[in-house]
Amino acid sequence: MKKIIDLYNQVFGWLIHLEHPALLGARLYVAWVFFKSGLTKIGDWESTLLLFEYEYAVPVLNFELAAYLATFGELVLPVLLAVGLFTRKAAVGLFIVNYVAVISLEDIPAAALYLHYVWGVLLLGNIIWGAGKLGVDQLLKIK
């Protein structure tokens, strides 16, 4: 039994070294997706306002305020997430943006919905574990 455990530990022990690069990869990928979306919003602000007024059913908020908040969140939070500064807070913010995007679209295609799930899971990893050693949080000792 000890040989099996030793073999298992030897074969899978290297996975622990992938934790920090995996967290960085997740941060960079999700940050890129949301930042790109924010750039699209400011690229054609009139269309953004029309989408928020007629297409997206954002609960509680006025469509114009929702458009400004979503755009701000998609431009600022990804930068913080990418560099690993206030990682957990940025990830929570983007998780909320992601969640609101899903509940605001009544007829979201299945493929798009699954992508939102993937982004949500990647954000949850950064909410739980933070930036890891490859982020500014580690340098500044932010927990």
Side-chain angles (χ1 to χ4, degrees):
M1 184 64 154
K2 182 168 175 16
K3 286 186 179 187
I4 293 173
I5 293 171
D6 288 343
L7 178 62
Y8 176 87
N9 288 338
Q10 185 178 11
V11 170
F12 292 101
W14 62 273
L15 286 174
I16 193 70
H17 302 293
L18 296 178
E19 174 187 357
H20 304 293
L23 288 169
L24 174 64
R27 286 193 341 255
L28 293 176
Y29 169 63
V30 174
W32 172 74
V33 167
F34 281 92
F35 189 76
K36 204 167 69 168
S37 177
L39 290 177
T40 301
K41 283 178 176 57
I42 63 170
D44 188 354
W45 188 246
E46 289 303 316
S47 292
T48 297
L49 288 175
L50 287 171
L51 281 170
F52 273 85
E53 185 173 9
Y54 297 109
E55 184 72 22
Y56 306 148
V58 178
V60 181
L61 298 176
N62 167 288
F63 77 90
E64 196 169 4
L65 178 60
Y68 279 107
L69 288 174
T71 305
F72 177 82
E74 288 181 344
L75 292 174
V76 174
L77 296 175
V79 173
L80 294 174
L81 189 68
V83 298
L85 179 61
F86 305 117
T87 305
R88 286 184 170 99
K89 291 166 187 64
V92 166
L94 285 174
F95 189 89
I96 292 168
V97 169
N98 188 43
Y99 178 76
V100 171
V102 168
I103 65 168
S104 296
L105 280 170
E106 293 177 8
D107 295 324
I108 187 168
L113 182 61
Y114 294 136
L115 277 175
H116 282 277
Y117 290 162
V118 168
W119 302 330
V121 169
L122 293 174
L123 287 165
L124 280 175
N126 279 277
I127 291 168
I128 294 167
W129 293 294
K133 291 183 179 178
L134 301 176
V136 176
D137 287 347
Q138 178 75 20
L139 294 172
L140 299 177
K141 308 274 190 252
I142 297 173
K143 295 188 180 197

